[in-house]
């Protein structure tokens, strides 16, 4: 559970640093905004590797 909270925190921290909304991040990462929103709202406590990869790949390419 602590890992999921750490991932949530890091996603929100990076959104703030890049001035992105959750929808903006989702669009740039190539996934539906509902996927990112459910991850952050604790509806999805078991994200797939693909979801995490897409989010972090965006920052790897743009950071």
């Amino acid at each position: 559970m602590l890992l999921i909270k750490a991932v949530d925190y890091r996603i929100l921290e990076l959104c703030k640093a890049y001035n992105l909304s959750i929808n903006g991040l989702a669009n740039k990462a190539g996934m539906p905004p509902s996927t990112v929103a459910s991850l952050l709202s604790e509806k999805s406590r078991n994200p797939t590797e693909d979801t995490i990869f897409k989010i972090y790949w965006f920052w790897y390419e743009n950071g």
Side-chain angles (χ1 to χ4, degrees):
M1 186 63 135
L2 292 175
L3 178 60
I4 294 297
K5 293 239 181 240
V7 170
D8 291 354
Y9 179 79
R10 185 66 177 147
I11 289 170
L12 293 172
E13 190 177 64
L14 290 168
C15 281
K16 185 176 179 180
Y18 284 85
N19 197 28
L20 284 173
S21 65
I22 299 305
N23 286 349
L25 166 64
N27 291 331
K28 288 183 182 285
M31 63 179 61
S34 60
T35 300
V36 178
S38 68
L39 174 65
L40 296 175
S41 71
E42 298 185 9
K43 287 182 182 177
S44 173
R45 294 291 78 191
N46 191 18
T48 64
E49 290 176 10
D50 189 50
T51 299
I52 300 299
F53 178 79
K54 285 181 180 179
I55 291 169
Y56 281 97
W57 186 253
F58 163 73
W59 278 299
Y60 176 78
E61 288 185 327
N62 297 288

